[in-house]
Every structure is written in structure tokens, then in C-alpha cells.
Amino acid sequence: MSGARAGRCGRPLAVLLLAFVIQNTEEAVFLPFWAMAHLPALAGSLGDLTISQFALAAGLLNLFAIAVGIFGWRQGGPLGVAVLALIGGALLANALSHVAVSLATGSVMPGAVSGLVLQGPAALWLLLCLPLTRAQAVGASALGLAVVPAFSLPALALARFMLN
């Protein structure tokens, strides 16, 4: 990614990261209550996790995404493109998963509206900004779907540890 390409992708990256913060805030406020009402198995899998711990985990994920996004944008080159593609793919997959769960449960999952209106389009904008083939963008999204739990679960465990 050249300097000009990095500069061109800075705006979509910033919009995506802001959309992610908005979606995570929405989840931190509403998801635990929604899960108890609509997905008791999910609420049960969270165990004794408090609202504060869940909110801290969302905040940790925000900080992590921002740090990795800035790293990828500043790094440039093939590594920077790969990092930004993974962030774009992960956050696109995250947005789509909220919409899918909403459809499956017949209720609006917290994060679905902000994911559909803000995060999904911003992730697509970032992926389109990067020098990727369509197959690479789809691959980044598929890999991103696997990456989201790989970072979410440790964030939840760390938040539980920090606020226990």
C-alpha cells in the first residue's frame, strides 16, 4: 500500500472504527438484556459475567481494533493491506452476523441496526479501497468471521479477571 493508497484508505478506516465503537456501545448497553430474553443459551454461556465486565470487554475490543487499524494503515505495503483487509472482513462479518441472528430470532439484536446501516457499509468501503481482488475480499470476510470470536472470548475473560 503506497502512501497515497494509505491516505485514501484512512477515511474509510476511521469511519469503520467509529462505526465499530458505536455498535459495541449499543451491544454493551442492550445485548445482555436482549440475550436473556431472546437467546437464553447465549446468556447462560456468559455465566456470571456482569454488565460492567461485558462493557469493559466491548471497550477493550474497541481499543484493540483501533490500535490494529492504525498499525495497518501506518504500516502500508502488503502487511498493511492484509491487516486492513482482516479488520474490514472481520467487522463486515460481525455486522452481517447480527443481522442473521436478528432474522433467526425474529427480533432486533443489539448491534444489528448499527451494523447494517454503519458498520457493514464502512467495512465494504474499506475493502473496496484496498487493492484486493473480489476473492481476497471474500476470503478476508470469511477469515474475519473466525477471528471475531478469537478476540471476543479473550476480551470477555480479561474483563472478568480485571473486574472480579
Side-chain angles (χ1 to χ4, degrees), residues 7-164:
R8 189 174 134 217
C9 292
R11 187 169 292 146
L13 174 64
V15 170
L16 176 57
L17 293 173
L18 177 60
F20 184 57
V21 169
I22 290 168
Q23 187 195 45
N24 268 352
T25 302
E26 182 182 348
E27 286 183 26
V29 173
F30 300 110
L31 187 63
F33 303 108
W34 178 88
M36 285 186 272
H38 300 283
L39 287 176
L42 174 63
S45 71
L46 296 176
D48 61 346
L49 193 69
T50 67
I51 303 290
S52 297
Q53 290 168 332
F54 188 81
L56 176 59
L60 291 171
L61 287 171
N62 288 339
L63 293 175
F64 180 74
I66 291 167
V68 171
I70 291 170
F71 168 80
W73 180 68
R74 294 201 56 185
Q75 178 69 31
L79 177 60
V81 169
V83 168
L84 294 181
L86 186 58
I87 288 174
L91 297 184
L92 177 61
N94 177 264
L96 294 175
S97 71
H98 283 73
V99 173
V101 171
S102 294
L103 292 171
T105 60
S107 64
V108 180
M109 179 183 186
V113 173
S114 57
L116 185 63
V117 174
L118 299 173
Q119 189 171 304
L124 283 173
W125 186 21
L126 177 61
L127 290 170
L128 291 171
C129 177
L130 296 170
L132 302 172
T133 66
R134 183 171 294 179
Q136 289 170 325
V138 169
S141 298
L143 182 57
L145 189 59
V147 166
V148 170
F151 289 103
S152 299
L153 296 175
L156 288 167
L158 181 58
R160 179 176 280 147
F161 173 77
M162 291 172 69
L163 294 180
N164 209 358

